[in-house]
Amino acid sequence: TLPLEHGAHRIGNRTDADMARWRSQRLGQFIHWGLYAIPGGEWKGKTYNGAAEWIRSWKEMPQQEYDNLYKQFNPVNYQPEEWAQQANDMGAKYMIITTKHHDGFCLWPSKYSKYSVAASPWKKDIIGPMVDAYNKKGIDVYLYFSIIDWNQPDWRAALKTPADSIAYQRFKVFVKNQLTELLQRYPTVKGFWFDGTWDDSWKNDGSFSDELEQYLQRLHPGLIIGSRLRADEKGARHFDSNGRLMGDYEQGWERKLPEKSADVHGNDWEGVMTIPENQWGYNARWAGHIKSSNELIEMLVKSASLGGNFVINFGPKSDGTFRTEEVQRMQEISRWMKINGSAIYGGTDAGFAKQDWGYYIRKSGTDSVYMVVCNVPVSGQLRVKLPAQTTLVNVTSLEKNIISGTPELIGKNEYFIHLDHKNQDAPFVILLQTSKDS
Ligand SMILES: C#C[C@@H]1N[C@@H](C)[C@@H](O)[C@H]1O
């Protein structure tokens, strides 16, 4: 292995209580909210094909006009308690909020930037009431923070001249000041979700990102920071030049999920997912494929079965309300989680071979293994193959009228579970109690 000063400083997952709490939560809510919700993907009658929160980068978007949108930010229907209530009903155990996206607009009245809610008609802090409302519901809060900041004159994507380096030095002080300010203002937050760390200026400064991460951990012990913050001294991101994960969990699963256990190498990881194909901020016109609640539930189940967290993204409108399709999905997921949440919370990779009918999830540290059935076989029966020296003690379903009769033993550690449940309109869950043969 290469001698790295700014590569991974820990081999293997964190074992402390803060990380165990994160690992048990499994379902999160991402919220992308900011000035981009005002145009909502449209500008002077034309629609922007990319993600709505990137509209400022659209060549036909006059950037000065975008930057002046702060004069219209006035979310008169913003009700953080309602946001927290619907997230709690959905079963989210943590929430990630964009404090500042790439456009640099701060949803808190930062001392270090004029480009914040303080300059808008709204004037007031958005983040504080949100953190309080979610924490009151027992939901942890993580702060999304974009390193890219199109509003800061000292931001550079690359350092081409000595003047660039001097400006970027000032920018790094600005970043450290804002992150310190966020931790001082919102001491109950559990971590940062960094983004916008792909440019050369950041990638080629592994020592700074390493020192910044250690500084933040000292300032706020237990802080959880994913692999997207850092680069090592050779510019490697997420995994250092020796292939070891940097940060506390793999944070690269954006709009995609691992397929099998081998894809995550036993690391903690988190997948973040949009409901449309690629819209994080509010877009008035959702085009293309819009994921159903069943699709999102299956992704959540798949993530838990592979030992990872799953975070569903929502993009509130500029007035502070949520679009109907998003409210519908929160309500449908809420109904499913109220019946089946025990299979998700504290769930992890069961170590069983994947089956066509769905996913196994082990309740961490126990012999309880949940079967989440997404595809009922035409035979109407489910094959269950247990590891060697394992006996099936009991089989129950989390809903009534799922299983018919008792499981049929068909060979060494292999059973058929016969189903009563024919018309499947959502995944259903069967709990296997197993025991190790003495
Ligand atoms: C690209 C990109 C960004 N990363 C996602 C989490 C959104 O914030 C998107 O704008």
Side-chain angles (χ1 to χ4, degrees), residues 160-179:
K160 298 192 179 74
T161 65
D164 283 347
S165 300
I166 293 165
Y168 198 67
Q169 277 312 105
R170 288 194 299 266
F171 177 75
K172 291 192 291 187
V173 170
F174 161 75
V175 165
K176 191 170 177 179
N177 284 338
Q178 281 206 315
L179 293 172

Side-chain angles (χ1 to χ4, degrees), residues 30 32 53-54 101-102 144 193 195 198 228 254 272 280:
F30 214 145
H32 274 70
E53 71 283 355
W54 276 77
H101 204 260
H102 310 328
Y144 169 109
W193 206 94
D195 200 8
W198 46 78
R228 199 174 286 203
E254 178 177 316
V272 292
W280 298 85

Side-chain angles (χ1 to χ4, degrees), residues 80 96 145 157 208 269 291 310 431:
I96 306 168
F145 184 91
F208 178 73
W269 64 276
K291 297 174 192 72
F310 184 68
L431 171 57

Side-chain angles (χ1 to χ4, degrees), residues 163 187 200 219 224 231 289 333 342 355 360 369 429:
D200 285 351
L219 198 59
I224 294 177
H289 180 68
I333 293 167
S342 58
Q355 299 295 320
Y360 289 111
V369 174
V429 180

